[in-house]
Amino acid sequence: MKRESLLRTWVYTALGAALTIICLVSRSADVRDAVSVIAAAQLLPVVLIAYMAKRIRRTFATLFGLAGVCFAVAELISGQKSMFDSALASGLALAAMLGLAAGTLLMVRDRPLLGQRGVSADALIVGLGSWIISWVALVHPLLHRPRHQIPAALLYGAYESVAVLVLFGAIVLLLGFKRRPTSLLMIVGALGLNIVGDIVGALSTIHHVGFGLDRISPALYVAAYFIAGAALLHPSINTLWVAPRNAHETGRLGRVVVTTTASVLPVIVLAATGLQGHADQIVRSVSALLLALAVMSRVVNSIRSNTAAQEALRRGAQTDPLTGLPNRTVLLDRVNACIGESWDRDVQPALYFVDLDRFKNINDSLGHAVGDEVLEMVAQRLLGAVPDGAIVARLSGDEYVVFEPTAQSAAGAMDLADRLLAVFREPLALSQGDVFVTASIGMATMSSSSSSTPEDLLRHADTAMYRAKDAGRNCIALYDESMHERVAHRLAVETALYRALDRHELRLFHQPILDMETGDVEGFEALMRWQRPDGTIVSPAEFIPIAEDTGMIVPIGSWALLEALGQLHRWTVDGICSASATISVNVSPRQLADPHFPSIVSEALARSTVPAGRLWLEVTESMMIAEPELALATLRRLHSLGVRVALDDFGTGYSSLSLLQKFPLQRIKIDRAFVHGVADNPNDRSLVRTIVAMGRSLGLDIVAEGVETVQQLQVLSDLGCKKAQGFLISHPVPADAMRSTVAALERLGNVPGLRALTLRPTSVG
Ligand code: C2E
Ligand code: CA
Ligand code: CA
């Protein structure tokens, strides 16, 4: 297809070349005329072909087609005379050129980067410049010929100026391309040849220059028409209408050169040629004045737009585009300036780090547009809450910083913190409806005695903000030195934890789960331990939350899953547990939110060859509350694998009954907080009774955790809870201690007294 049209282009060019040569060598003026008319007339069918092949748009096809017709008729009318001998021919040529000018203008406008930067002002300069030249060289001499026709001469002068303008437009377009399309190069060539033809024609007619110039001019026109036609057939013609994908502007320098030439050349022409009477003087002066005005306004405009661009750049570098608040750089500058001032003044500048709570939820559930709306509204509210002279900045995402350089005392600084928190008490009236947002605020003050840098102050407030988050969010925390130590410690733990997995420092301990009715060990819960190189054992309560925060929990959790399943397999093979014993593995919210989690589970099952029915995953309700849809989808996928899921720590959170109905759960684990009081505290006992009743009615398996005394075990059994786990039965032990642990439990189960004690029905109220 592309090759075909390429071929057509070149055949066409060859045809044009042949006709051009005929025009050059033919002695017959009639032949030359006929060739000229054919050359102009061929434009119409070519435009139609290009339009039908969807290479040019309808507007352009119409404009170019009409131009072709006008040129053809003008050639026909002017016949053996020059075009400027006939007002009608000149008028038609002018109309044709205006059509081309309109098309060029539309194309320039379609490329916004070209259009923006004063192209029309440049075009005006070029148009005026070429008018001056054509007045001096063409129009004015024509007016003085014996058979002079004033309208024809004026129309021709206008046509010439427009022709130069179109050439200018085409050059501007050409310069705007990084890879210049051949078709556009051809069009520029055609327009250039056309103008050269005009000049040659004018020279031969006006000044009666010989050398066969009268033949050259029509030949140049013929060549120009055919090159234009070939350009329309060239496959690259459609790139002219495709807006540049990665908009960047090239060729500005080229345009400056063209425009400057257009404003300088006329001046030279005016200076080099003598005045020819009154009319000439008036036209020259007015035209020169207009040109000067155009150049001046162009210069003023470009200075203005440069200044505006610089201003916009400066503002962009200093403010956050969404809220218009100053950014980190400006903030730090201001704080820096104040540190210098506050030495000799009795003030205690304070910096507040304001971080929205759970902003990600808003973004995820309501969409980013709403998220942006929230951020803008919060910015407005903060601005409304701070005293004059304070600065509100936005650092990134949902982090704002307020800096109050004139706080008089610690108490005054705290007041502002309270006011900032109060900003969030009223719901935000968004387009979607009201939304409640809270924030955690960290505050740090600067005293003249401490030598902190602005960065220190910001970091301290940030640290305090995390403290506020840990303390349950929606509150204020004031920075003190101890926080720094905590942060440093945490950082050290974080870093060490990153390597713990590779260095094989993680272990699994296991705690048996006892079936109280049969006295059998029905399964084990895998609990992670971190053995530091110095031998100390770190509790999961300390490192799991950190792993969860940093995301390390995902690889660590996958490891635990595979390790636990492998262990169950080995115990089964070694006869330590029955072939139906289960393993319970804890899963944190972050793992559950990982879309790959179900496949990680199924791969671990496959690798360990343990049937899915022997695996329990212990999850807490937080994920089901925070992201119910995602949690439901993941749990369903796990369920379809045949894996069972236990709701851990039941009773501590919302513990809503609806969770148990809505999600595919098969077990609840009664939190040890209630088990602890079950023997002595009537409230705990009735709560456990309710949980057991509820669980049974839903057909769920129930396990009590943290059983430490025989009394607790007894009461639990009486309340109908059939499975238990806790220090009474066994502490979590390393895998290699499990054989003796299970053996001991079996012995205990065989002691008739204990069995009788644990399972004796009692009436508990
Ligand atoms: P959890 O899932 O509720 O685990 C039960 C915790 O209670 C364990 O603490 C266990 O040692 C302890 N425990 C068992 N029986 C008794 C008892 O009779 N009395 C008392 N006071 N405590 C008892 P541990 O091993 O320190 O684990 C703490 C928490 O860390 C676990 O709570 C679990 O949420 C998390 N965790 C442990 N291992 C993993 C893991 O591999 N992955 C994830 N995501 N979390 C884990
Ligand atoms: Ca657990
Ligand atoms: Ca638990």
Side-chain angles (χ1 to χ4, degrees):
M1 175 78 181
K2 199 172 164 186
R3 278 188 49 190
E4 238 171 64
S5 54
L6 258 179
L7 192 71
R8 223 180 306 157
T9 312
W10 298 126
V11 167
Y12 213 73
T13 315
L15 180 69
L19 288 175
T20 307
I21 294 171
I22 291 178
C23 211
L24 264 179
V25 297
S26 166
R27 289 178 183 278
S28 150
D30 287 338
V31 170
R32 291 204 294 270
D33 279 346
V35 170
S36 295
V37 175
I38 291 171
Q42 54 80 31
L43 281 175
L44 185 63
V46 166
V47 166
L48 275 177
I49 291 173
Y51 173 64
M52 309 258 258
K54 294 207 166 62
R55 289 173 182 271
I56 58 175
R57 289 200 214 140
R58 183 192 290 171
T59 334
F60 297 100
T62 316
L63 288 169
F64 292 164
L66 282 176
V69 172
C70 288
F71 275 131
V73 179
E75 294 286 356
L76 204 62
I77 294 174
S78 62
Q80 295 179 10
K81 293 180 286 180
S82 289
M83 233 178 244
F84 40 74
D85 285 327
S86 144
L88 188 55
S90 294
L92 281 168
L94 175 61
M97 250 329 149
L98 282 173
L100 295 187
T104 318
L105 191 78
L106 284 179
M107 270 201 260
V108 172
R109 281 248 306 267
D110 269 4
R111 316 193 128 242
L113 271 183
L114 292 177
Q116 271 162 17
R117 320 247 184 218
V119 167
S120 26
D122 285 355
L124 183 66
I125 293 172
V126 171
L128 279 168
S130 49
W131 159 252
I132 292 178
I133 296 175
S134 56
W135 168 260
V136 173
L138 220 91
V139 182
H140 192 247
L142 280 177
L143 293 176
H144 284 274
R145 288 187 318 149
R147 289 173 292 127
H148 74 263
Q149 280 192 342
I150 297 180
L154 286 176
L155 283 171
Y156 194 72
Y159 151 80
E160 205 54 69
S161 308
V162 178
V164 174
L165 256 183
V166 173
L167 178 61
F168 167 75
I171 291 176
V172 167
L173 273 177
L174 188 68
L175 293 174
F177 281 92
K178 231 182 157 189
R179 283 181 51 209
R180 319 243 139 103
T182 313
S183 51
L184 190 54
L185 276 169
M186 292 168 92
I187 288 175
V188 168
L191 290 165
L193 281 180
N194 173 55
I195 290 174
V196 176
D198 291 341
I199 294 170
V200 170
L203 280 179
S204 72
T205 313
I206 302 166
H207 304 289
H208 307 289
V209 185
F211 315 121
L213 278 190
D214 53 331
R215 279 193 229 164
I216 294 181
S217 152
L220 287 171
Y221 291 141
V222 170
Y225 287 136
F226 270 96
I227 292 175
L232 287 170
L233 293 177
H234 194 271
S236 68
I237 190 79
N238 37 4
T239 56
L240 302 199
W241 282 271
V242 182
R245 212 173 312 135
N246 40 2
H248 65 257
E249 195 189 9
T250 57
R252 284 187 79 184
L253 185 66
R255 220 173 73 205
V256 170
V257 172
V258 175
T259 313
T260 316
T261 317
S263 53
V264 171
L265 258 186
V267 177
I268 297 172
V269 169
L270 286 179
T273 54
L275 269 182
Q276 314 255 319
H278 203 57
D280 190 27
Q281 187 180 17
I282 292 175
V283 172
R284 283 180 181 226
S285 317
V286 172
S287 308
L289 181 70
L290 288 177
L291 181 63
L293 284 176
V295 171
M296 203 159 73
S297 82
R298 174 75 176 100
V299 171
V300 169
N301 256 332
S302 75
I303 290 176
R304 267 213 203 122
S305 68
N306 265 348
T307 322
Q310 266 173 12
E311 173 64 14
L313 272 180
R314 195 187 57 78
R315 234 180 303 122
Q318 296 192 339
T319 55
D320 153 45
L322 179 67
T323 58
L325 294 178
N327 61 16
R328 179 187 215 103
T329 321
V330 177
L331 173 81
L332 290 177
D333 276 356
R334 284 287 298 275
V335 178
N336 203 22
C338 281
I339 289 183
E341 282 173 23
S342 63
W343 284 114
D344 36 61
R345 282 198 299 146
D346 210 11
V347 290
Q348 202 176 31
L351 192 139
Y352 309 82
F353 206 109
V354 182
D355 190 291
L356 303 188
D357 296 329
R358 303 196 170 89
F359 179 66
K360 193 177 169 298
N361 280 358
I362 295 187
N363 253 347
D364 290 352
S365 56
L366 301 176
H368 285 259
V370 175
D372 283 355
E373 221 181 316
V374 167
L375 293 174
E376 285 174 71
M377 230 172 245
V378 168
Q380 288 310 317
R381 291 224 178 149
L382 290 175
L383 280 172
V386 300
D388 287 347
I391 165 169
V392 180
R394 176 167 169 239
L395 295 201
S396 66
D398 58 346
E399 298 174 344
Y400 300 83
V401 167
V402 173
F403 179 61
E404 159 46 336
T406 59
Q408 301 290 327
S409 61
M414 202 60 195
D415 273 354
L416 178 55
D418 285 332
R419 259 181 292 147
L420 293 177
L421 199 64
V423 149
F424 298 94
R425 229 160 262 157
E426 293 289 310
L428 301 175
L430 304 180
S431 47
Q432 299 245 325
D434 286 2
V435 166
F436 273 101
V437 178
T438 60
S440 302
I441 301 181
M443 168 182 163
T445 55
M446 192 166 76
S447 60
S448 45
S449 56
S450 75
S451 58
S452 45
T453 65
E455 284 83 1
D456 287 341
L457 196 63
L458 193 61
R459 211 180 43 246
H460 291 168
D462 190 15
T463 305
M465 186 277 289
Y466 274 106
R467 192 63 205 160
K469 292 255 180 211
D470 286 347
R473 301 183 164 93
N474 192 17
C475 61
I476 303 161
L478 175 63
Y479 176 79
D480 67 57
E481 289 297 322
S482 70
M483 278 182 199
H484 178 70
E485 281 148 32
R486 256 200 305 272
V487 170
H489 173 70
R490 190 189 146 119
L491 201 67
V493 173
E494 250 176 46
T495 322
L497 190 56
Y498 268 110
R499 306 198 189 102
L501 194 54
D502 292 339
R503 295 186 177 174
H504 307 289
E505 293 172 8
L506 297 177
R507 317 249 174 284
L508 286 185
F509 275 35
H510 301 269
Q511 188 177 38
I513 298 171
L514 197 72
D515 185 324
M516 289 189 255
E517 276 180 326
T518 61
D520 291 340
V521 172
E522 78 94 41
F524 312 88
E525 177 173 2
L527 294 158
M528 212 185 292
R529 301 288 178 265
W530 178 15
Q531 186 162 17
R532 302 293 299 265
D534 61 5
T536 52
I537 302 244
V538 187
S539 147
E542 190 177 332
F543 70 84
I544 293 286
I546 298 179
E548 171 84 18
D549 275 0
T550 57
M552 273 299 285
I553 192 68
V554 173
I556 288 180
S558 305
W559 168 83
L561 189 66
L562 189 62
E563 179 72 19
L565 286 167
Q567 194 52 252
L568 183 69
H569 178 71
R570 286 190 290 277
W571 283 333
T572 315
V573 170
D574 294 349
I576 293 173
C577 68
S578 72
S580 61
T582 61
I583 187 92
S584 302
V585 179
N586 292 284
V587 175
S588 56
R590 188 113 174 206
Q591 285 173 277
L592 210 56
D594 175 9
H596 304 300
F597 185 63
S599 32
I600 292 174
V601 172
S602 81
E603 197 188 313
L605 287 167
R607 282 176 62 180
S608 61
T609 69
V610 170
R614 294 182 69 189
L615 174 64
W616 282 101
L617 294 177
E618 298 196 356
V619 302
T620 52
E621 60 192 7
S622 58
M623 160 98 178
M624 290 173 232
I625 288 162
E627 286 181 87
E629 277 95 35
L630 185 59
L632 186 61
T634 310
L635 291 181
R636 282 199 177 135
R637 281 172 68 194
L638 291 169
H639 189 61
S640 70
L641 291 176
V643 173
R644 286 175 295 173
V645 178
L647 188 54
D648 210 349
D649 304 340
F650 193 74
T652 52
Y654 292 85
S655 303
S656 96
L657 182 62
S658 67
L659 281 187
L660 297 173
Q661 290 169 323
K662 193 166 154 199
F663 294 94
L665 302 164
Q666 291 78 38
R667 168 183 279 182
I668 43 185
K669 294 190 80 173
I670 305 173
D671 192 74
R672 66 167 178 268
F674 310 107
V675 172
H676 184 76
V678 81
D680 315 310
N681 183 330
N683 284 340
D684 285 352
R685 193 180 312 147
S686 65
L687 196 105
V688 171
R689 180 184 288 120
T690 314
I691 295 176
V692 172
M694 193 166 80
R696 282 179 135 187
S697 72
L698 290 168
L700 299 176
D701 194 56
I702 302 159
V703 177
E705 56 179 13
V707 181
E708 294 181 352
T709 67
V710 176
Q711 286 78 8
Q712 289 164 356
L713 194 70
Q714 186 63 61
V715 175
L716 286 165
S717 161
D718 292 345
L719 291 175
C721 174
K722 299 286 182 280
K723 288 172 186 167
Q725 181 186 354
F727 293 168
L728 175 71
I729 299 152
S730 165
H731 278 262
V733 297
D736 51 15
M738 196 51 85
R739 184 184 289 277
S740 55
T741 303
V742 171
L745 281 172
E746 269 166 8
R747 267 200 306 283
L748 206 67
N750 289 336
V751 175
L754 187 85
R755 209 176 149 82
L757 169 79
T758 53
L759 301 177
R760 175 175 47 90
T762 41
S763 53
V764 232

